[in-house]
Amino acid sequence: MGGYALGSAFDSKSGQMIMLALLLMVASFYVGNLFGNNAPIYISQDSSSSSFSPAVSTFINKVSLTYRETPIAIQANGMNICPLEFNEYIPCHDISYVKKLLKTLNVSRREELERHCPPLEKRLFCLVPPPKDYKIPIKWPVSRDYVWRSNVNHTHLAEVKGGQNWVHPKNQLWWFPGGGTHFKHGASEYIQRLGNMTTDETGDLRSEGVVQVLDVGCGVASFSAYLLPLDIQTMSFAPKDGHENQIQFALERGIGAMISAIATKQLPYPSNSFEMVHCSRCRVDWHENDGILLKEVNRLLRPNGYFVYSAPPAYRKDKDYPVIWNKLVDLTTAMCWKLIARKVQTAIWIKEENPSCLKHNAELKLIDICDAVHEAKSSWKTPLMNCIQLRSAQKDTWKLPPRPERLSVYSESLSRIGISKEEFTMDTNFWQDQVGYYWKLMNSSKGEIRNVMDMNAFYGGFAVALNEFPVWVMNIVPSSMQNTLSAIYDRGLIGAFHDWCEPFSTYPRTYDLLHANHLFSRYKSSGEGCQLEDIMLEMDRILRPQGFVIIRDEDSITSRIQDLGPKFLWEVESHILENKKQKETVLICRKKFWAIV
C-alpha cells in the first residue's frame, strides 16, 4: 500500500545513489530523524543489585523466566522480563518444543514446519526483550535495501545465499541487492521476464491483471519488494526451517510476510484470492502425495490465475528431474491447468475456468471433486483436501478491476453473509475520517510507520484508508468470525485468518502499529488463553519498540488496559472520538524502548 508511488523511485538506483543513501543513513543515525530515537531505557539484568549506573533506569520490572499460570497474576511491580536468550521467542514455532512432538508428527509431509502451540502452562508469560545492540529499525524506503545487522544478527543466509545476492554484510548493515536463487541478477529483470511470458511479450504482470500474489518459500522477500512498483500486493511466507530468519529479514525490511508452511493443513487464506502463486526454488515437493499441495494452490488461485514454477524440474534433464516434471504435467493436466510458457528455468501454468474438463477428468478417475464447502467458513486448522472444488454457480464471475479501483469493490461474498452495500460504504467512509484523527493523536509523521496489523479487520476499511500512506497492512479476520477475508482480498488487500487465543506466526518486534477495534470484547468470554492479558502480551511481543497500539472497545475493557498498560511498559493515553452515532474511548498506547543491560 503506498508502494506504487514509492516503488517508482526504487528502480533507477546507481552506485552513486547507494553511497548517498549510506551517507544519509549514517548522518541520520546521529541526528535521529531517519531512525527515530535510538537510545533505549535500560533494565538491569541483576534485579538484586541496588546500585544502578546513571544510564540504567530504576524500572522495578524483574528479569525472570516466567510461565503462564491460571489464574493470571501480574506482580505489583509489573510484568517480568524474559531473559535475553529468549529475544526471538515464537511460541507456536518453538523448535525445542517441536522436537518433543516429532514422534507424533508426519515428518514425510513436513508437518513439523506447521504451527504447534505449547499448552498454556508451557507458554512464557514475560515480556520478550530486544537483542543486544538493537536499534530502532531503518525507515522505509531505505529499509528495502538496508537494515541494521544487530537487529537480525544471523549470518547463515549471507554465508549460503550471498552468491545469489540474497543478502550481504556491509559494516553495521545488511544489504539486500534484490537477488534470489533464480534471479541473482535482480528481481526486476525476473519480474519483467514473467510479464513477457504471461503476455506473449506484449506487457507486464500488472497489465495482465495480476494484483495479488502468493509467494511460497519467499526467502528474504525481494520478489515481493520489487513487485511494489507495479502496485502488486504480495503475501509472502516461508517456514522457520534451515533458511533460518528469512521471514525476520523480510519484516525488518518493511515487506509483508509471515511464517507458514504448506504441508498438511490449508494455508490461512481464503479460496480464490490470488492471481498468481509463485514458487522460486521454494523447496516444496508438489509432485508428491497425489499432488495434494498443488490442489491447495488450485483452491487459492482465482480463475485464470497463474502458477509460476522456477525450479530444476522445469529445465534440467539430469538426475530424477524429468520424472518429477512428467508427474507435474500429469497432475496439472488432470486439474485442467494449461502450460502456457516454459523457458529460462521457469514454467507457467494458467488455471483455466473449465468445469466440463474437471467433470470429465473426475469421470476418468483422474481427480476427485470436493463436496460443497460453506464459503463463510474460515481456512483455519483445516486439513488439506485431496480434491478440486468446483466453482459455485453463485460465485461472482465478473472480472475484478485493477487497483486502486479494486479498493472500492463491494464483494458479493459480503451479501451472502448478510452485510449490505450500505453498511460496507458507511464503514469505508468512517475509517477515512478516523485515520486522520489517529495520526494527529499519535503525533507521528507518515514515514514513521511501515508495518501495520489490523487485528480485527472486518471489511478492510481501515487498510483502505491507509492506501496513500507508505505502509502495508496485515488484515486479520478472527477464525471464529464469519469469513469477511474473502471480501478483503476482493478489495486488493492481503491478510490471514487467525485465532487470538494463540500467538501469531511472526517474529518478535515486527509491527510498527497494531489496530484493535473491538477485539478484546470479542474474546472476553473465550476462556483461558484468550484473556485480555494474554492478548496484550502477544501484542507486546510482535510490536517494535516505540511502536503504537490503537485500541477501541467497551469502557470496562479500555479502563482495564489503562491500568495494565504501564505494567507492560506501555505509555497509554485516553481520547474520545466519534464512533458513527456515539462517542467512544480510544486508547493510544506506545511501547517504550527498553533493553536489558
Side-chain angles (χ1 to χ4, degrees), residues 194-213:
L194 298 184
N196 292 339
M197 292 172 71
T198 53
T199 64
D200 197 21
E201 310 286 336
T202 62
D204 58 23
L205 294 179
R206 179 178 168 86
S207 67
E208 187 55 18
V210 176
V211 172
Q212 287 144 302
V213 172

Side-chain angles (χ1 to χ4, degrees), residues 125-198:
F125 196 76
C126 45
L127 303 181
V128 174
K132 182 181 177 183
D133 297 328
Y134 180 86
K135 300 176 178 64
I136 295 299
I138 294 169
K139 302 212 181 316
W140 185 265
V142 177
S143 65
R144 187 199 72 163
D145 299 330
Y146 299 98
V147 305
W148 294 116
R149 285 188 67 175
S150 57
N151 288 10
V152 191
N153 196 13
H154 296 274
T155 61
H156 178 68
L157 271 185
E159 291 164 358
V160 300
K161 295 294 185 180
Q164 297 167 3
N165 282 326
W166 282 35
V167 57
H168 295 290
K170 190 180 280 286
N171 300 319
Q172 295 186 63
L173 303 166
W174 290 118
W175 171 43
F176 302 88
T181 302
H182 270 269
F183 44 92
K184 65 181 181 181
H185 298 301
S188 293
E189 182 273 335
Y190 174 70
I191 289 166
Q192 183 55 55
R193 189 196 321 152
L194 298 184
N196 292 339
M197 292 172 71
T198 53

Side-chain angles (χ1 to χ4, degrees), residues 384-447:
L384 288 176
M385 297 188 296
N386 194 16
C387 55
I388 299 294
Q389 183 72 46
L390 282 180
R391 191 169 169 83
S392 168
Q394 295 179 327
K395 190 77 176 174
D396 304 333
T397 55
W398 60 285
K399 186 176 174 64
L400 290 165
R403 282 174 55 98
E405 292 83 3
R406 190 176 292 195
L407 295 170
S408 303
V409 164
Y410 167 72
S411 171
E412 285 302 316
S413 66
L414 292 178
S415 174
R416 287 193 287 274
I417 58 176
I419 297 162
S420 69
K421 191 168 186 178
E422 289 71 27
E423 289 177 88
F424 171 81
T425 302
M426 282 180 58
D427 182 79
T428 300
N429 294 337
F430 173 72
W431 290 114
Q432 292 289 344
D433 292 335
Q434 295 303 298
V435 161
Y437 296 137
Y438 284 171
W439 253 254
K440 289 177 184 176
L441 294 175
M442 290 189 294
N443 191 25
S444 173
S445 66
K446 282 188 176 182

Side-chain angles (χ1 to χ4, degrees), residues 11 38 87 130 233 268 315 339 388 396 431 458 575:
D11 297 320
N38 276 263
N87 69 84
Q233 311 300 301
Y315 62 92
L339 181 64
I388 299 294
D396 304 333
W431 290 114
F458 292 100
H575 301 272

Side-chain angles (χ1 to χ4, degrees), residues 49 116 133 152 189 206 264 341 362 409 502 521 550 552:
S49 173
H116 299 285
D133 297 328
V152 191
E189 182 273 335
R206 179 178 168 86
T264 71
V409 164
E502 298 180 1
S521 52
I550 302 176
R552 309 175 81 111

Side-chain angles (χ1 to χ4, degrees), residues 123-310:
R123 293 186 201 171
L124 296 188
F125 196 76
C126 45
L127 303 181
V128 174
K132 182 181 177 183
D133 297 328
Y134 180 86
K135 300 176 178 64
I136 295 299
I138 294 169
K139 302 212 181 316
W140 185 265
V142 177
S143 65
R144 187 199 72 163
D145 299 330
Y146 299 98
V147 305
W148 294 116
R149 285 188 67 175
S150 57
N151 288 10
V152 191
N153 196 13
H154 296 274
T155 61
H156 178 68
L157 271 185
E159 291 164 358
V160 300
K161 295 294 185 180
Q164 297 167 3
N165 282 326
W166 282 35
V167 57
H168 295 290
K170 190 180 280 286
N171 300 319
Q172 295 186 63
L173 303 166
W174 290 118
W175 171 43
F176 302 88
T181 302
H182 270 269
F183 44 92
K184 65 181 181 181
H185 298 301
S188 293
E189 182 273 335
Y190 174 70
I191 289 166
Q192 183 55 55
R193 189 196 321 152
L194 298 184
N196 292 339
M197 292 172 71
T198 53
T199 64
D200 197 21
E201 310 286 336
T202 62
D204 58 23
L205 294 179
R206 179 178 168 86
S207 67
E208 187 55 18
V210 176
V211 172
Q212 287 144 302
V213 172
L214 181 66
D215 192 11
V216 181
C218 63
V220 296
S222 288
F223 180 67
S224 171
Y226 285 82
L227 284 171
L228 284 174
L230 297 175
D231 199 19
I232 292 174
Q233 311 300 301
T234 307
M235 173 59 75
S236 300
F237 77 86
K240 192 173 188 295
D241 63 1
H243 287 165
E244 189 176 338
N245 302 93
Q246 53 191 327
I247 293 299
Q248 190 177 21
F249 275 120
L251 288 159
E252 185 72 14
R253 297 173 72 187
I255 301 166
M258 64 183 287
I259 300 170
S260 193
I262 182 167
T264 71
K265 296 181 181 67
Q266 289 183 357
L267 292 167
Y269 318 120
S271 301
N272 300 299
S273 293
F274 300 96
E275 284 88 11
M276 178 176 284
V277 174
H278 174 256
C279 161
S280 174
R281 282 286 186 106
C282 61
R283 297 167 38 147
V284 173
D285 293 327
W286 302 107
H287 62 290
E288 298 286 6
N289 299 300
D290 198 28
I292 194 170
L293 302 183
L294 279 177
K295 288 161 188 169
E296 172 66 354
V297 171
N298 189 82
R299 180 185 75 84
L300 294 166
L301 276 175
R302 298 190 194 273
N304 299 310
Y306 297 103
F307 177 58
V308 176
Y309 180 68
S310 297

